[in-house]
Amino acid sequence: MSDTAIRPRLERRPLSDRLGAAVPLALVPALALAGFLAVGNPSTWLTLTVAGLAMGLMIFIMASGLTIVFGLMDVINFGHGAFISVGAFVGFTVLGWLAGWTADPRFMVNLGAVFIAIIASMAATGAMGYAFERVIVMPVYGQHLKQILVTMGGLIIAQQMIHVIWGPDAIHLARPESLRGSIVLGEAAIEKYRLLAVAIGLGLFLAMRHILRSTKIGLLVRAGVENGEMVEALGYRIRRLFLLVFMAGSALAGLGGVMWGLYQETITAHMGSEIMVLVFIVVIIGGLGSVEGCFIGALLVGLLSNYTAFVAPKVALVSTIALMVAILMWRPQGLYPVVKAK
Amino acid sequence: MLRRILSGDMPRNRLLSALLAAVALCLLLAPFLFPGTKPLETAARICIFIVLVASYDMLLGYTGIVSFAHTMFFGIGAYGTALALSSAGPSFVSILWGSAAGAGVAATLALAIGLFSLRVKAIFFAMVTLAIASAFAVLVSQLSHLTGGEDGLNYRIPRELTPAFRLVEERVFGVRIDGRVLSYYLVFGVSLALFLAMLRIVNSPFGRTLQAVRDNAFRAEAIGYRVVWYRTTATVLSAVMAALAGSLLALWLRYTGPATTLSMEIMIDILLMVVIGGMGTMYGAVIGATLFILAQTYLQDLMGAAEKATSAVPLVSMLIAPERWLLWLGVLFVLSVYFFPAGVVGRLRAGKS
């Protein structure tokens, strides 16, 4: 008998592979460093970086809904922009009702008003997502071309309905009292609202990661992404899960809409479709369907557009396209490709 | 003879043939049948959009590629002609080289986009083109010293094409044959030629291969067709056609700006026209563009009248106000994707055979 028993051999992946998987994580600090070199002035750089992070995290909020819907359901929702607009308009209406709260100088009262506006618009867009899934998306599962066309039609209808309900003019939306202005850190002026946006975005990212990685719903969602039929065979009603995810994605768009509306302070029915370009760039960079990739993509886009807006204003939007092209050259499926997205 | 001109792709339905003949006849005789400025504007617009929609259908319907960058190529053609006319003066030579340059730039850009991103999924490609097209629109409005920014470019066209020019002194069937009519016939003739060329392309072996690629790219690849090559070629061809349509528009309007060529609304209009007419049929472009532009021009008046009639009912009158016509178009769009996935032409053809 030989003493060489057959042992399972676990091969470690080569170092280059493991490093390669971690490279996307290093992109954000690398970009921040490059930005520092290009800007030169530390306090300006700090202002720009916080602004970029805030913008990136707001885009992340909007993009995360789109990307999880695609990841689980293989549905691309070109009407996602409509949810963003509707969210902003509902948020605006609620903030208008709470005028007494927003004019109050106390921070917690202001925060309460914003919180109520967010809850209201998430509820509204979640309900809208329910209707959208039932009426518009359900008949065309699995047919990408029709999905694109039909959700585009849904976008037109939703935008026009905003015109009917709120009128065609742009609406000015003032931030609550204590979220206006900025705090001075050293020589860098940082807008208070951006700090709030960073906090909400980060909180959302951590919560999503937790839900997807450590809860049963997250387990089912991940399993559904890998193999929906198998999950169904195990006795889980995946259609109901689909609906839930779609509503969650729509509600996230509503949240993003409120945040973005308060950031821009002017809302129009078309704001959603305008921001959708950045949202698409972010989900493409991240790899459609991946929350982590979406997060990194959003930070990259936010930082890059703020740095370029300062250094070379004319190339600001084109720079994000260039970033997308560069990343797709390097990884054609995005930074963190999801198995299903072939 | 007719079969030869139509490249063997007959309408194959009596009603459809009648409709197409009516459209062709009305467009051919537009200056005599419908005198006045607005009808002529509408007719020229229909001609140009037939070419544009047909070129988009070559991508969407025949090859199964969803692109949102089609207005970009349209705009490139328009700006090519506009820039040539405004910098080199109003002559036919500058129209020619302007259109050629526009088509060339469009082809190069389409080649780059095609080679770069056609390997990816349909959905990916749709989003990439959307991003590129909007970046291009921003670029055009930023480079205002070249393109006139949001205001666009106004320029003069050769004198022979302006209303001041008279071909013959006396009226023909009560219509004065001025440069505007000549200009219309130029638009009509070039549009007809381009449309027939596209009909030829989609009915050639190359066009059949495109359909094979659309229906099952994997199988087409397995038989030995280089799918990426076919998709890229289709993208380039349709970009060139769109650019030429853009040149015609620039020539006809004597104005080129982002709103008339590059806006997202036009892209959505094109999509609607393709879907309403019927994807994957060149004749669908004719029917779709005609119906859509007629509705766009005349339905709003009708809706205005309806709004006045129902002004007592609050919500209804708001819903049928003329500005809301896009809402109804959206509803129509969604319904037609569900219930008439083959569009008017597909429906008619299916009903017959």
Side-chain angles (χ1 to χ4, degrees):
Chain A
M1 235 181 114
S2 80
D3 53 3
T4 54
I6 296 171
R7 285 223 209 118
R9 205 161 51 120
L10 283 177
E11 264 185 38
R12 292 191 63 154
R13 281 157 62 216
L15 186 67
S16 59
D17 261 25
R18 281 179 289 147
L19 274 183
V23 166
L25 291 175
L27 280 179
V28 177
L31 184 65
L33 187 68
F36 185 73
L37 295 178
V39 174
N41 181 348
S43 57
T44 315
W45 175 79
L46 188 62
T47 309
L48 286 175
T49 307
V50 174
L53 289 179
M55 183 180 161
L57 285 164
M58 278 186 276
I59 298 172
F60 166 72
I61 296 172
M62 295 179 246
S64 60
L66 188 74
T67 208
I68 55 169
V69 166
F70 179 80
L72 179 68
M73 302 159 70
D74 201 22
V75 167
I76 194 80
N77 184 4
F78 272 76
H80 200 71
F83 296 117
I84 296 173
S85 308
V86 169
F89 274 88
V90 172
F92 156 80
T93 310
V94 172
L95 281 178
W97 291 338
L98 297 172
W101 289 33
T102 53
D104 199 297
R106 277 170 299 170
F107 178 64
M108 288 318 284
V109 177
N110 288 174
L111 209 59
V114 172
F115 187 68
I116 292 174
I118 285 176
I119 296 292
S121 59
M122 284 179 78
T125 48
M128 196 179 141
Y130 179 83
F132 212 75
E133 203 272 351
R134 292 282 108 165
V135 179
I136 300 215
V137 182
M138 198 154 75
V140 290
Y141 272 123
Q143 299 158 286
H144 281 163
L145 180 59
K146 282 191 178 178
Q147 275 168 15
I148 293 173
L149 297 177
V150 159
T151 53
M152 212 66 198
L155 173 75
I156 299 173
I157 296 174
Q159 273 179 354
Q160 292 298 313
M161 286 314 285
I162 292 178
H163 282 321
V164 171
I165 298 173
W166 281 283
D169 301 322
I171 294 177
H172 185 72
L173 177 68
R175 284 178 211 156
E177 198 60 42
S178 61
L179 291 174
R180 290 177 205 162
S182 44
I183 47 175
V184 179
L185 213 75
E187 283 177 26
I190 294 171
E191 273 187 63
K192 291 177 194 164
Y193 181 70
R194 295 198 171 145
L195 290 177
L196 179 72
V198 169
I200 293 182
L202 273 182
L204 179 76
F205 173 63
L206 295 176
M208 279 181 84
R209 240 169 95 103
H210 174 74
I211 291 174
L212 283 174
R213 292 207 169 166
S214 338
T215 64
K216 186 158 182 196
I217 293 206
L219 182 73
L220 285 176
V221 168
R222 278 182 295 139
V225 172
E226 293 288 335
N227 191 337
E229 282 173 21
M230 186 58 87
V231 175
E232 190 132 65
L234 289 172
Y236 293 101
R237 273 186 268 178
I238 198 152
R239 304 296 293 210
R240 186 175 285 180
L241 193 64
F242 274 16
L243 188 58
L244 213 67
V245 169
F246 200 93
M247 287 172 69
S250 316
L252 284 174
L255 168 61
V258 177
M259 301 291 299
W260 191 252
L262 279 171
Y263 177 65
Q264 298 266 313
E265 297 194 275
T266 308
I267 55 175
T268 64
H270 292 276
M271 63 177 276
S273 25
E274 280 153 21
I275 192 72
M276 275 313 272
V277 172
L278 282 180
V279 169
F280 279 148
I281 293 177
V282 162
V283 297
I284 291 172
I285 288 178
L288 262 173
S290 130
V291 174
E292 281 87 359
C294 176
F295 183 68
I296 292 177
L299 291 185
L300 287 177
V301 165
L303 286 175
L304 184 69
S305 48
N306 270 280
Y307 293 145
T308 46
F310 179 77
V311 179
K314 289 233 166 182
V315 288
L317 185 71
V318 187
S319 70
T320 52
I321 302 274
L323 177 72
M324 177 182 77
V325 170
I327 292 207
L328 285 184
M329 293 286 206
W330 173 41
R331 295 197 170 178
Q333 311 292 336
L335 292 176
Y336 288 110
V338 170
V339 182
K340 210 172 184 177
K342 286 188 200 82
Chain B
M1 179 64 187
L2 189 65
R3 182 172 286 276
R4 231 186 129 67
I5 291 176
L6 297 182
S7 314
D9 188 0
M10 303 304 280
R12 295 207 301 277
N13 176 289
R14 209 166 290 159
L15 184 57
L16 181 60
S17 312
L19 276 176
L20 288 171
V23 170
L25 210 66
C26 286
L27 288 179
L28 177 66
L29 300 176
F32 302 99
L33 288 177
F34 317 103
T37 324
K38 197 180 175 189
L40 200 62
E41 284 294 327
T42 313
R45 225 180 140 68
I46 290 175
C47 292
I48 294 167
F49 269 81
I50 285 176
V51 176
L52 184 62
V53 171
S55 70
Y56 189 65
D57 193 31
M58 208 150 74
L59 267 192
L60 181 70
Y62 282 88
T63 326
I65 296 171
V66 189
S67 157
F68 284 97
H70 210 63
T71 47
M72 178 169 84
F73 301 123
F74 187 53
I76 287 175
Y79 273 102
T81 308
L83 286 172
L85 279 172
S86 53
S87 64
S91 71
F92 285 99
V93 181
S94 43
I95 293 176
L96 272 184
W97 74 255
S99 319
V105 172
T108 319
L109 204 57
L111 186 69
I113 296 178
L115 286 178
F116 165 67
S117 49
L118 277 174
R119 293 159 202 270
V120 298
K121 274 182 107 170
I123 273 181
F124 239 75
F125 187 71
M127 292 196 295
V128 169
T129 49
L130 188 68
I132 292 177
S134 64
F136 183 79
V138 170
L139 204 65
V140 165
S141 62
Q142 290 286 315
L143 297 174
S144 47
H145 57 92
L146 187 68
T147 59
E150 289 296 324
D151 297 334
L153 294 168
N154 277 299
Y155 42 85
R156 292 182 324 143
I157 56 173
R159 196 179 158 276
E160 289 75 16
L161 298 177
T162 56
F165 178 78
R166 298 277 157 74
L167 187 64
V168 278
E169 270 312 311
E170 58 271 20
R171 289 165 178 254
V172 180
F173 300 112
V175 178
R176 189 176 290 133
I177 307 294
D178 61 5
R180 205 73 189 137
V181 174
L182 287 186
S183 181
Y184 174 74
Y185 277 110
L186 180 69
V187 168
F188 175 78
V190 175
S191 300
L192 186 68
L194 289 178
F195 179 76
L196 290 177
M198 279 189 274
L199 204 59
R200 179 72 256 173
I201 290 172
V202 296
N203 286 298
S204 66
F206 172 77
R208 299 275 171 233
T209 317
L210 289 186
Q211 292 174 44
V213 168
R214 169 196 70 190
D215 292 337
N216 195 334
F218 183 72
R219 220 177 263 180
E221 185 94 58
I223 300 172
Y225 291 112
R226 288 163 63 200
V227 169
V228 172
W229 188 87
Y230 276 92
R231 281 189 177 151
T232 309
T233 314
T235 315
V236 172
L237 276 174
S238 96
V240 169
M241 291 294 175
L244 292 176
S247 301
L248 286 180
L249 186 81
L251 193 60
W252 175 255
L253 286 183
R254 288 175 284 174
Y255 162 79
T256 297
T260 54
T261 52
L262 291 170
S263 70
M264 199 60 212
E265 277 84 48
I266 295 186
M267 191 64 239
I268 291 176
D269 289 355
I270 299 175
L271 259 175
L272 284 165
M273 290 183 213
V274 169
V275 170
I276 290 171
M279 284 183 278
T281 53
M282 280 292 142
Y283 298 120
V286 178
I287 302 286
T290 309
L291 280 179
F292 188 91
I293 289 172
L294 285 180
Q296 202 174 31
T297 321
Y298 297 104
L299 198 63
Q300 283 171 322
D301 302 346
L302 207 67
M303 286 176 74
E307 186 199 16
K308 283 204 187 71
T310 55
S311 57
V313 197
L315 190 66
V316 175
S317 70
M318 265 166 92
L319 284 176
I320 55 175
E323 311 93 76
R324 291 290 87 76
W325 88 288
L326 200 59
L327 170 72
W328 296 107
L329 220 62
V331 174
L332 182 71
F333 185 45
V334 171
L335 292 179
S336 57
V337 173
Y338 286 155
F339 300 110
F340 303 97
V344 174
V345 170
R347 190 77 187 175
L348 284 177
R349 281 185 170 176
K352 178 80 181 171
S353 55

